[in-house]
Structure formats: structure tokens, C-alpha cells
Amino acid sequence: MTVQCAWCEEEKAVETTNTAYWELPDGTRSIEITHMPCISCSGCGMSYQEEEIIEEVETQLLLVDTKKLDESIRYDELLKVPRLLKRNYFKF
């Protein structure tokens, strides 16, 4: 299924997965997140995560003990890491 690319606005983008590199909230290091949902456009060559995926990853990284994370983790495994808090109480 093709979708409209957020960058070039052509209907040449598809939902797929890629590898992303994310800085941890405390700024101490970054991690590799594999098999991450993304949109990839054959028209302009961009691959990007949609806003809801970005927010999901950032919230999860804020709520887990990042010291226990390996240098590389699958997206689905990251979302399964037990949280220290139930939710982000700082987001209004």
C-alpha cells in the first residue's frame, strides 16, 4: 500500500522498517533501534518515522531504566521493556 510522502508529497511512499539511532534522554549515549516502523519514499529517497512512532519511542526511553539497555535493540523489544513509571506524568 502506498502512502503520501511527508517530504515530497508524492504517492510513492510505503510503510516498512529501518534502523534508527536514538540519543537517550539523559544524553549519555545513543542506541540503535532495529526493525523500526518507518515510511520510505521511492520518489525522494527519504525514510522517516511518523510522529506517533517518535513519541512512542521517546516516552518509552523516558520511562525505562536506560542503563539496562544494550547498544542495539529491536523496536518491539524496546516497547516490552518494563517501565519505572506507568506513564509520562510530565506530558500535559
Side-chain angles (χ1 to χ4, degrees), residues 3-91:
V3 293
Q4 184 179 25
C5 176
W7 293 90
C8 70
E9 298 181 351
E10 289 194 39
E11 297 283 335
K12 294 183 177 181
V14 294
E15 295 178 4
T16 187
T17 61
N18 69 357
T19 297
Y21 299 89
W22 225 271
E23 183 178 351
L24 297 180
D26 63 5
T28 56
R29 63 188 176 108
S30 62
I31 61 170
E32 176 185 69
I33 305 172
T34 63
H35 299 88
M36 189 150 170
C38 74
I39 303 295
S40 183
C41 180
S42 63
C44 67
M46 285 297 293
S47 288
Y48 60 92
Q49 277 69 39
E50 293 182 294
E51 238 1 89
E52 57 268 7
I53 298 295
I54 293 170
E55 187 172 323
E56 187 175 46
V57 168
E58 289 181 351
T59 297
Q60 184 69 354
L61 290 174
L62 185 65
L63 299 177
V64 302
D65 185 355
T66 57
K67 291 178 183 81
K68 295 182 179 179
L69 294 177
D70 290 331
E71 305 237 344
S72 181
I73 190 168
R74 284 179 59 104
Y75 169 78
D76 57 343
E77 292 299 318
L78 174 63
L79 297 183
K80 292 177 187 175
V81 173
R83 292 179 171 190
L84 300 172
L85 297 172
K86 291 182 183 180
R87 66 183 201 90
N88 181 358
Y89 294 100
F90 301 103
K91 184 176 178 184

